[in-house]
Amino acid sequence: MRPAAEDPRTERTRSKLREALLAECADGALAEVSVAALVRRAGVGRATFYTHYADLEALAVDACAGIVREAVDALHAWRGRPDPATPPPALVDFFSGLPRHGALYRELLRPGGGGPLGLVLHRDLRERSRTERALAGAPEPDLVASAVAAAFAGVFADWLHGTIEGTPAEVTGRVWRLLIALHGTPLP
């Protein structure tokens, strides 16, 4: 996680690198991207790249971190009593927008929800869920938050990898009902 009050020049450079990576990955797999081609496209030097990122995977995870924030926000884009038949529009939008960079997400998010992007997704979603459950006084905030994060990351990854079938709207409805069930499960 980067500090909130980051130098604007640093953020501009990172933004150029993230955009260049996404453009490079639109033409091929992350494994086929070279640092030389990336920095050429971004208009920065090779040393500048290594000042900001240890390797291409670190840049890719940073470039995809927005999807993690979108997922976490989409899952928490409701207040009050959730309607199992109506997922939050932000969650539908999230799943609908995934195909744009699906190949890159699949490289960073392994089946079952592992991989570098899966770890970030699980950590951020677990923390947000735990915090909200604790604030609401719901039982077992740590346990349920872990279950929610694991279930969402696993279903999301498996859908991206094609082991769970369905349109974005179908999978959104199914994962939404699953997460509501996890939140509503009575615990001793």
Side-chain angles (χ1 to χ4, degrees):
M1 300 292 268
R2 294 189 306 264
E6 187 171 88
D7 182 330
R9 294 170 296 180
T10 298
E11 182 49 39
R12 276 193 303 274
T13 300
R14 286 184 174 166
S15 180
K16 285 181 186 180
L17 289 166
R18 288 189 299 263
E19 288 171 18
L21 178 86
L22 293 174
E24 288 288 321
C25 288
D27 299 332
L30 178 61
E32 297 169 2
V33 175
S34 72
V35 172
L38 178 79
V39 297
R40 192 170 33 257
R41 186 182 285 256
V44 302
R46 190 177 186 93
T48 299
F49 169 82
Y50 286 109
T51 297
H52 296 283
Y53 298 101
D55 55 26
L56 286 170
E57 185 177 273
L59 169 58
V61 170
D62 185 37
C64 294
I67 193 172
V68 169
R69 285 187 296 279
E70 285 178 31
V72 171
D73 289 345
L75 285 172
H76 293 90
W78 57 275
R79 291 290 172 247
R81 191 167 193 83
D83 177 4
T86 310
L91 189 59
V92 176
D93 293 344
F94 168 75
F95 275 98
S96 296
L98 289 172
R100 189 178 59 210
H101 297 295
L104 179 58
Y105 300 145
R106 279 187 293 278
E107 286 187 68
L108 299 172
L109 187 63
R110 310 281 190 287
L117 188 58
L119 295 174
V120 173
L121 176 60
H122 187 276
R123 180 197 66 216
D124 290 359
L125 182 53
R126 182 187 185 286
E127 182 55 31
R128 177 87 172 264
S129 293
R130 189 199 64 71
T131 299
E132 290 202 6
R133 283 188 68 81
L135 286 173
E140 300 283 356
D142 291 322
L143 177 70
V144 174
S146 288
V148 165
F152 182 79
V155 169
F156 171 46
D158 287 352
W159 178 69
L160 278 175
H161 285 278
T163 58
I164 293 177
E165 294 182 13
T167 66
E170 290 168 344
V171 78
T172 300
R174 290 161 52 199
V175 79
W176 179 241
R177 287 186 298 277
L178 172 65
L179 296 176
I180 289 174
L182 283 171
H183 274 285
T185 302
L187 299 168

